[in-house]
Amino acid sequence: MLSLEQAREAILAKITPASETTAIALDQALGHYVGTTLTARVDNPAFDNSAMDGYAINCKDLEGTQDNALPLIGEAACGGAPAQLSPNSTMRIFTGAPLPRGADSVIMQENIEVSANGKIIFPKEPKTGNNIRRRGEDFKKGDDLYNSGHQITSNDLALLATAGIAQPVVWTPPRILVIATGDELIAPGDTLQAGQIYESNRLTTIAQLAELGLDRVDSDTLRDDPDILRARLATAQDYDFIITSGGVSVGDHDLVKQIFSEMGEIDFWKARIKPGKPIAFGRMGERSHFFALPGNPVSSLVTFKLFVEPALVHWHHGTFREPQLQARALGQYQRRAGRKEFLRAALSIDNGTLCALPLPGQGSHRVRPLSQTNGFIVVNETSAGFDEGDTITAIPLSTRFSG
Ligand code: AMP
Ligand code: MG
């Protein structure tokens, strides 16, 4: 049986990364993955400008005065060409306004006085270069700002816009098909008949994809009927990823595995992890990668995090990094060593220390703990558990630790 790390490596080795790029409007770029090296189109700052509201001077001009006072000759405002500072004078200037030609320092308005005859007095000895933002000190035209595989965040939009990159080239997002299988599944809201349950994996997987910025998603809930599944997959060759849930273990009705092996090339394995019984991974047709995840809701969402998410990041030429953090255990957990286990946990912060409470009810069919789950506790293969107060490893699922 493979370890988690070996299983991930096996999957990543079989992913064919994206090859199509598209230029996208900046206001649509959030969450997309950069598809080429993005370089600055302009210098930033684009021109020498003032970092303060104040007065522009040439320091040498003060040396010739007795009272450190200079006449005010005008104003340098934002949005215009640089003004001209005449010798032995000062100009009012505002934050972001071009530094007037001839000026070499800006004095904060808090540090001046005004004389009876309207001259500006500079009581403190000014220094050349004060409060000036120099052209190109942040970045220069042509500087590389992003590499392929970086996922664009709100921070990045500030940099991309400032750098004049109005249409960043991104990897064309994957088309994804999500299929839930099971004769027992009906839509939430319908009336349950004997033996039926409400479907949740399809919705959850679509939401997990949305959290990764992926929304070119189609989905279906299908019965455990080989012909229906075969027919659906026969028209699925344009999808980059096909993610199914259920029907992947060894029961008589576990036909997903059977159909995938019939229609594609399948790797079927058990990894030494819990939850997450066997999952199947493989390729179908020219471009489709498929993941057949287990049906239990908790197994489905955990195996998505453990396997599908790294695969999607890799497909986008990115580097997957799992945020494994040290935390203090707020409860104990004992078990027989063997598999790497991911416990649903409530993470909180106590005085700057990350804390993790293992939630009661860890069976993979039990969804109630999900209302408090905002992270996982990782129990390593050789560990027999932990005591309250121990330092353990946690993976946050969100950065919101309250509630
Ligand atoms: P399976 O992997 O198909 O054997 O399913 C394992 C368990 O998960 C069974 O109890 C199923 O009823 C349940 N299950 C399968 N698919 C879903 C789904 N989409 N939503 C909720 N429960 C499911
Ligand atoms: Mg099933």
Side-chain angles (χ1 to χ4, degrees):
M1 233 196 284
L2 303 180
S3 68
L4 171 67
E5 291 70 26
Q6 288 167 328
R8 270 187 186 156
E9 231 172 83
I11 289 175
L12 295 194
K14 293 204 172 164
I15 298 282
T16 306
S19 58
E20 295 155 25
T21 58
T22 183
I24 197 162
L26 207 44
D27 61 3
Q28 300 298 311
L30 182 68
H32 285 266
Y33 292 77
V34 172
T36 186
T37 304
L38 297 179
T39 56
R41 300 284 172 89
V42 292
D43 293 340
N44 189 52
F47 45 86
D48 291 354
N49 69 80
S50 176
M52 294 286 171
D53 290 338
Y55 293 83
I57 60 167
N58 188 307
C59 293
K60 276 208 289 303
D61 288 346
L62 284 182
E63 288 166 15
T65 66
Q66 283 177 350
D67 49 2
N68 280 343
L70 294 169
L72 182 63
I73 60 146
E75 191 174 285
C78 290
Q84 177 71 51
L85 182 70
S86 318
N88 304 312
S89 67
T90 182
M91 285 178 104
R92 183 95 173 91
I93 191 165
F94 299 96
T95 305
L99 187 72
R101 287 191 304 275
D104 67 1
S105 190
V106 171
I107 312 306
M108 284 167 69
Q109 63 189 31
E110 291 84 342
N111 291 343
I112 61 104
E113 287 161 21
V114 182
S115 73
N117 60 5
K119 281 186 166 184
I120 307 298
I121 305 170
F122 300 93
K124 294 190 180 163
E125 185 153 335
K127 285 202 194 82
T128 300
N130 268 5
N131 301 318
I132 296 172
R133 305 158 169 174
R134 291 292 175 195
R135 175 176 183 158
E137 73 179 17
D138 189 18
F139 56 79
K140 295 200 165 46
K141 180 176 173 174
D143 280 357
D144 291 349
L145 299 180
Y146 290 101
N147 292 321
S148 168
H150 175 90
Q151 190 177 25
I152 296 173
T153 65
S154 49
N155 284 352
D156 297 321
L157 294 179
L159 173 50
L160 290 165
T162 306
I165 302 171
Q167 297 216 311
V169 171
V170 299
W171 293 114
T172 306
R175 289 196 61 204
I176 302 175
L177 175 62
V178 176
I179 299 177
T181 67
D183 287 340
E184 71 279 32
L185 306 176
I186 65 163
D190 290 355
T191 306
L192 289 174
Q193 307 294 335
Q196 295 185 326
I197 64 166
Y198 290 128
E199 196 290 313
S200 64
N201 294 342
R202 186 184 61 89
L203 287 173
T204 308
T205 302
I206 293 171
Q208 288 179 302
L209 291 166
E211 284 172 354
L212 295 174
L214 304 175
D215 61 4
R216 291 177 81 201
V217 179
D218 294 320
S219 70
D220 268 317
T221 302
L222 301 183
R223 301 183 65 76
D224 289 318
D225 177 332
D227 289 336
I228 293 177
L229 185 57
R230 213 177 269 123
R232 183 66 188 94
L233 292 180
T235 60
Q237 58 273 13
D238 288 343
Y239 291 101
D240 299 287
F241 288 89
I242 301 168
I243 305 167
T244 66
S245 75
V248 74
S249 59
V250 288
D252 281 350
H253 298 283
D254 291 339
L255 46 93
V256 173
K257 193 178 57 176
Q258 175 202 320
I259 305 290
F260 269 138
S261 48
E262 195 182 297
M263 301 183 71
E265 210 177 291
I266 192 168
D267 276 337
F268 178 70
W269 35 257
K270 296 178 177 174
R272 294 193 300 269
I273 56 161
K274 188 179 175 189
K277 285 218 294 214
I279 80 156
F281 166 76
R283 304 284 313 255
M284 200 177 71
E286 291 286 296
R287 65 185 303 149
S288 305
H289 307 83
F290 62 77
F291 285 91
L293 306 182
N296 271 314
V298 174
S299 307
S300 167
L301 70 88
V302 171
T303 50
F304 182 97
K305 290 295 290 181
L306 297 183
F307 299 111
V308 185
E309 192 170 311
L312 288 166
V313 172
H314 185 73
W315 185 88
H316 283 97
H317 301 249
T319 305
F320 176 72
R321 294 187 192 88
E322 204 162 47
Q324 298 209 4
L325 304 175
Q326 282 193 347
R328 192 171 71 220
L330 294 184
Q332 57 95 39
Y333 184 72
Q334 306 305 332
R335 61 159 213 167
R336 197 142 39 92
R339 293 198 272 170
K340 189 164 197 169
E341 189 163 359
F342 293 82
L343 301 175
R344 274 146 289 150
L347 306 188
S348 55
I349 293 178
D350 179 18
N351 238 331
T353 298
L354 184 62
C355 299
L357 173 70
L359 293 164
Q362 292 286 337
S364 59
H365 62 295
R366 296 184 66 162
V367 289
R368 184 165 186 178
L370 294 177
S371 71
Q372 288 171 275
T373 300
N374 60 2
F376 297 132
I377 292 171
V378 186
V379 187
N380 282 325
E381 289 182 1
T382 54
S383 163
F386 51 84
D387 291 319
E388 188 171 342
D390 282 359
T391 299
I392 55 176
T393 302
I395 299 177
L397 291 175
S398 116
T399 48
R400 291 185 207 111
F401 293 117
S402 60

